[in-house]
Amino acid sequence: MAWGDLSKGPAGGSGGHHMLLLLLLLLLGVTSVLGAMLPPRLSTTDTIVRLREGQEGYVLECNKDVGDDPITYRWLKVGTGREGDGTGRDGTGRDGTGRDGAVTCWKMERYYDLRKLMPSAKSIPLTPQDHKIVTGVLGYAYRGFNKVFLALHTIELEHAGTYVCEASNTEGVHSAAIKVIVESRGRQTTVTQELQPHTDEILSEIATSLSDVLAEGECTCDTMFLLHVSTDAEEETVAAQANLVHIIADQIVSETNRVSVVTYSDYLDMKLSFGKGTNKCALRDAFKDLTHQKWTTRLEPVMREAFKKLRKSLSSCKVLFLPIFGSLGAEGADVLGAQHLKKLGVKIFILEVTPEPLEGVQEMASKRGDGYPYHWRVPLFMWRTIVINMNYIAKEVVGCMAEVKDFPKKCVAVDGACTNDTMCQGVGYGCEEGQCVYRECNINPRKPGCCNDASPVNGHWCGDVTSQCTSPNTICDGIVQCMNGADERRCWSTPCPQDKIARCQTSTLCLDLMDLCNGDPECPGGEDEDPRFCKSFPCPRDRPFRCRNGKCIAKESLCDGVFRDCDGGEDEAFEYCKSVHVCPASRSFKCDYGICISEKMVCDGTFNCLDATDELVCDRQNCPAERAFKCLSGLCISMDQVCNGVRDGCDDGSDEQNCTNISCPANRNFKCTDGICIDGRLRCNGRKDCDDNSDEQNCPTPEPPMAPLSPTSPCPHNMFKCNTGACISDSRWCSLCCDVHCAVV
């Protein structure tokens, strides 16, 4: 019916009942007709969400469309939504439907039909025991303005299912549902803290695998080494890759075993071609200039250009060494490009150094005879362990070590005849008095060729292929500065200071007790947080709670609503927080679902508990000292807001009622006749500060001003001289002097 047809009934009859309804609305108001409180109504933007196993946390969101506070929220989870299940069953052979086919669940003595909440939910199995409150193991819930959120942790298969957000007040309850489908990533698993790799073993395996491939090629191979110039990794990683490649390539380069060096981002920059990469001097010089514009990585054009260059090679043995640092940009892996290279007979070696495993990268690698890929992964935060261990892999490259021989007038060994530095093999060697000798740069770093121009004079020479120098103060400090590890290599015999109790296995860094098992890896390899160690490590007094993985956390971190202080969420487990944990003095109020909050947050007008417990107990909760006044509604406010003449504290205005019976605070110590408290200094100032003017009553009679004196005549002691020359009491000068100075004051 249109708004213009209200005067007519459905059959053209009288519309008096409509007019009566409108009149009733105008006289009594909408609230009186419809009720004092509106029940909640929820909605969701997405009814189905598809996530990947291992994906970073995702936030589910429910919107409150209508509903009056106080409203209690909570999230519940139902069943499973794993991709590919398709059975429509809950794993017990039951389909979870009633006789009428409605998908229902029993909770709080109410039935909910999920088909009404979400039309696509007909096949979702529900049973009473499946409907559980979401706790810290899966994620954590929090409130926003007219919204409630559920922040899921790193996605696992256990996150699959239907999530129901529920809102309730005294007038009703309403729910909305979101189905979460988790796509399994198959056999690939996230490297957890319990499975951190040993980088020395990885580098050793790379070296031996490469040796096997070169031996199969009878040491007549062309090997292309790429260096990743990534926007998503630290700048030093390029120098680290250069040193790693030099250590390996220096063992194999020969006239028959040619090498090339190439930097890449979204394009290739050739630093050493196969035609020139036949001796150690050319290899060393390839790393003198590693400049490369940093662009977001795109692997497809890189693999295409690598294909073009390797296709020109006449060798029957071809190898591509591909390090990946940080990420591969939005386009990710290039499996098709790798397949084209494999058809050329190229063996692809991949060293992946990324925060999380990248999809498709493992497929790009070639496979060994036993079926395992030439693919190795080191977590990005551990990349410096590559630097620490790289020096030890030189002896692992066997089976194809070229015999060192001189190339007269081109590249000669130690003590060989030379005319310039570029003729001398090896890093740090130069031509002096016609012979190749080691420069001993750390004795005299000012010698030409010891350090690059950007390095400080008198610095410590790292002896690496990039001619890097570092400050002598960084030697043996436990932190790798030289990208070949030289600054820490000889420091293992140096004892730790007395205030340190442990030394890392992957560096010479010494740690104190507070660094161990605190959840933040200090050692490059993360061994100070290794669960195998932490589970046997006695937790210190300031962090007495032990997580399942061995991590020790403080009591203040328990049941504080900040989830995942423990990786498994056990510090926020519902059953533990609600029934076992005792709230500390700093957060002594416990919400109904177990989270502890400060007493200062109780009855402050803001819902700090997800279930609004902190604002529903105000009728029986004592107010804290800093908010000592309790409104009739139960809200606690500061005494500064009471009887100040402004309704700025209590929503019901009770902060300005019965003021005559309330004592004034110290900063407003004068009470007007009507009960309002004002600053005592405002009394008898000649202005009306009390509404009833009682602040200007019973004031002392002002003393008459003395006769004007000459401008140069002084006033008596304790008297003030006005511009007119009159002398008045110091305490009355701004009331009786009508000069400019007093007006400003």
Side-chain angles (χ1 to χ4, degrees):
M1 181 181 295
W3 282 106
D5 296 332
L6 285 176
S7 60
K8 297 181 180 180
S14 172
H17 61 287
H18 294 294
M19 297 301 296
L20 181 61
L21 176 59
L22 288 174
L23 181 61
L24 185 61
L25 289 172
L26 291 173
L27 292 176
L28 300 179
V30 178
T31 303
S32 300
V33 175
L34 299 181
M37 177 178 286
L38 290 174
R41 188 80 182 175
L42 297 178
S43 66
T44 58
T45 304
D46 301 314
T47 55
I48 297 180
V49 175
R50 291 183 176 271
L51 305 175
R52 297 191 319 274
E53 184 184 6
Q55 177 180 335
E56 286 300 316
Y58 187 87
V59 179
L60 304 180
E61 177 181 326
C62 275
N63 305 309
K64 185 189 79 170
D65 297 330
V66 295
D68 291 331
D69 286 328
I71 288 182
T72 295
Y73 293 100
R74 66 176 182 170
W75 284 88
L76 301 104
K77 180 178 180 290
V78 186
T80 178
R82 296 185 185 181
E83 182 73 354
D85 185 359
T87 61
R89 296 179 178 272
D90 60 3
T92 62
R94 298 170 295 191
D95 61 7
T97 61
R99 287 179 296 178
D100 59 355
V103 183
T104 56
C105 146
W106 182 251
K107 181 185 63 64
M108 291 180 60
E109 300 181 357
R110 295 183 178 93
Y111 272 104
Y112 294 108
D113 188 343
L114 283 187
R115 293 192 306 176
K116 296 179 181 178
L117 299 176
M118 186 174 64
S120 60
K122 290 184 179 181
S123 64
I124 298 175
L126 290 177
T127 58
Q129 57 267 38
D130 283 339
H131 211 151
K132 298 179 180 179
I133 294 177
V134 176
T135 62
V137 176
L138 295 176
Y140 65 94
Y142 59 97
R143 300 171 69 128
F145 179 70
N146 285 339
K147 294 178 184 290
V148 60
F149 304 94
L150 179 62
L152 302 177
H153 302 315
T154 301
I155 303 303
E156 302 172 357
L157 293 179
E158 288 72 16
H159 282 102
T162 299
Y163 292 81
V164 178
C165 57
E166 177 196 270
S168 60
N169 60 15
T170 57
E171 295 302 310
V173 61
H174 190 257
S175 300
I178 302 174
K179 183 178 180 181
V180 173
I181 298 174
V182 177
E183 299 174 356
S184 173
R185 61 186 169 194
R187 297 176 59 185
Q188 188 179 15
T189 57
T190 302
V191 178
T192 62
Q193 203 172 34
E194 296 186 7
L195 302 175
Q196 296 293 11
H198 294 287
T199 310
D200 55 341
E201 296 176 0
I202 287 177
L203 296 177
S204 175
E205 192 171 332
I206 291 174
T208 54
S209 296
L210 181 60
S211 297
D212 292 342
V213 171
L214 297 178
E216 290 175 6
E218 298 180 350
C219 298
T220 57
C221 298
D222 282 350
T223 304
M224 177 181 286
F225 292 94
L226 299 186
L227 307 179
H228 189 188
V229 183
S230 172
T231 58
D232 303 307
E234 296 178 46
E235 188 173 350
E236 293 93 333
T237 58
V238 179
Q241 295 173 69
N243 282 290
L244 176 62
V245 167
H246 180 263
I247 289 173
I248 297 175
D250 192 61
Q251 304 299 313
I252 64 175
V253 63
S254 68
E255 290 181 295
T256 59
N257 233 18
R258 303 186 304 174
V259 299
S260 71
V261 178
V262 187
T263 56
Y264 83 94
S265 56
D266 67 341
Y267 70 97
L268 293 182
D269 188 2
M270 183 68 67
K271 303 299 182 182
L272 178 66
S273 65
F274 285 126
K276 295 181 178 180
T278 59
N279 60 79
K280 295 176 181 289
C281 294
L283 175 66
R284 177 202 60 209
D285 293 342
F287 301 100
K288 287 185 176 179
D289 179 16
L290 294 177
T291 56
H292 186 108
Q293 286 185 307
K294 275 194 173 185
W295 299 102
T296 302
T297 304
R298 291 180 60 239
L299 206 52
E300 188 272 333
V302 170
M303 299 297 283
R304 184 173 62 246
E305 290 301 312
F307 176 85
K308 291 179 181 179
K309 296 182 182 303
L310 288 167
R311 185 172 58 179
K312 296 178 181 178
S313 169
L314 299 179
S315 175
S316 60
C317 172
K318 304 180 184 70
V319 179
L320 176 67
F321 180 74
L322 176 65
I324 298 172
F325 275 72
S327 79
L328 289 177
E331 297 182 10
D334 183 21
V335 178
L336 182 60
Q339 290 175 351
H340 289 307
L341 283 165
K342 292 174 186 176
K343 289 179 181 179
L344 283 181
V346 178
K347 300 287 187 182
I348 302 177
F349 283 58
I350 298 179
L351 174 60
E352 182 184 351
V353 187
T354 55
E356 295 290 338
L358 300 179
E359 186 176 357
V361 168
Q362 187 169 301
E363 291 181 62
M364 292 177 58
S366 299
K367 290 186 178 180
R368 305 185 307 199
D370 57 7
Y372 286 96
Y374 291 122
H375 171 267
W376 299 269
R377 182 179 173 273
V378 175
L380 182 59
F381 82 90
M382 289 177 58
W383 75 267
R384 291 182 186 272
T385 61
I386 297 174
V387 178
I388 295 168
N389 293 292
M390 68 171 61
N391 191 59
Y392 303 107
I393 68 171
K395 55 187 175 184
E396 301 287 348
V397 183
V398 296
C400 214
M401 296 180 66
E403 181 181 351
V404 178
K405 64 178 182 177
D406 291 347
F407 291 82
K409 298 182 180 180
K410 187 175 183 180
C411 188
V412 296
V414 180
D415 297 330
C418 60
T419 57
N420 58 68
D421 290 344
T422 60
M423 293 178 60
C424 299
Q425 296 177 6
V427 176
Y429 287 84
C431 188
E432 294 186 7
E433 298 180 357
Q435 284 189 317
C436 289
V437 296
Y438 189 70
R439 290 191 179 279
E440 297 181 330
C441 287
N442 284 323
I443 297 175
N444 184 9
R446 283 191 172 91
K447 276 191 175 183
C450 285
C451 290
N452 56 36
D453 294 337
S455 298
V457 176
N458 292 326
H460 178 82
W461 184 66
C462 295
D464 73 328
V465 73
T466 63
S467 298
Q468 182 189 4
C469 284
T470 186
S471 169
N473 297 330
T474 65
I475 308 303
C476 296
D477 64 351
I479 302 173
V480 175
Q481 307 289 342
C482 293
M483 289 301 102
N484 63 348
D487 56 321
E488 301 296 320
R489 190 173 299 145
R490 298 182 179 89
C491 308
W492 293 101
S493 59
T494 304
C496 288
Q498 292 184 352
D499 60 336
K500 308 292 184 180
I501 67 168
R503 168 169 274 159
C504 299
Q505 293 176 332
T506 54
S507 82
T508 58
L509 182 65
C510 296
L511 306 176
D512 59 28
L513 182 65
M514 301 302 296
D515 295 324
L516 302 177
C517 303
N518 64 354
D520 297 319
E522 299 289 340
C523 299
E527 57 267 24
D528 55 312
E529 302 300 323
D530 189 323
R532 291 166 293 187
F533 163 70
C534 291
K535 287 179 180 179
S536 61
F537 173 73
C539 288
R541 292 182 180 180
D542 63 326
R543 292 182 284 121
F545 184 86
R546 187 187 300 279
C547 305
R548 280 194 292 269
N549 66 353
K551 175 183 175 182
C552 300
I553 64 174
K555 285 185 177 180
E556 289 72 18
S557 299
L558 301 176
C559 306
D560 61 351
V562 179
F563 290 79
R564 293 284 178 154
D565 289 309
C566 291
D567 291 341
E570 55 267 32
D571 58 311
E572 305 295 327
F574 176 75
E575 295 80 5
Y576 171 79
C577 291
K578 184 172 178 63
S579 305
V580 179
H581 180 63
V582 177
C583 291
S586 59
R587 293 182 288 108
S588 57
F589 182 86
K590 180 179 283 192
C591 304
D592 273 355
Y593 59 98
I595 298 302
C596 301
I597 64 173
S598 170
E599 284 283 353
K600 297 179 181 180
M601 304 171 76
V602 180
C603 301
D604 63 352
T606 302
F607 298 110
N608 300 292
C609 292
L610 186 68
D611 55 11
T613 313
D614 56 318
E615 301 301 318
L616 296 176
V617 298
C618 296
D619 57 339
R620 58 183 184 276
Q621 183 78 12
N622 294 327
C623 290
E626 61 272 13
R627 291 184 289 110
F629 184 84
K630 177 178 284 191
C631 306
L632 294 178
S633 63
L635 179 68
C636 298
I637 66 173
S638 169
M639 288 300 299
D640 290 338
Q641 297 174 284
V642 179
C643 296
N644 62 354
V646 182
R647 293 181 58 173
D648 59 349
C650 301
D651 294 337
D652 53 20
S654 55
D655 57 319
E656 301 301 322
Q657 298 173 5
N658 301 319
C659 289
T660 55
N661 299 324
I662 295 176
S663 300
C664 290
N667 61 340
R668 292 184 290 113
N669 56 2
F670 180 81
K671 178 174 287 191
C672 305
T673 304
D674 59 7
I676 300 299
C677 299
I678 65 172
D679 190 334
R681 292 174 295 181
L682 300 177
R683 183 173 181 270
C684 297
N685 64 352
R687 292 190 296 269
K688 179 182 176 181
D689 295 294
C690 292
D691 290 340
D692 55 13
N693 202 36
S694 55
D695 60 315
E696 299 300 323
Q697 298 174 6
N698 301 320
C699 294
T701 303
E703 300 176 5
M706 296 180 62
L709 302 175
S710 65
T712 58
S713 300
C715 289
H717 182 63
N718 294 332
M719 301 290 281
F720 178 81
K721 185 175 183 178
C722 298
N723 289 342
T724 60
C727 294
I728 62 170
S729 171
D730 271 344
S731 62
R732 306 290 296 160
W733 68 280
C734 271
S735 298
L736 299 179
C737 278
C738 297
D739 51 36
V740 175
H741 180 71
C742 287
V744 173
V745 176

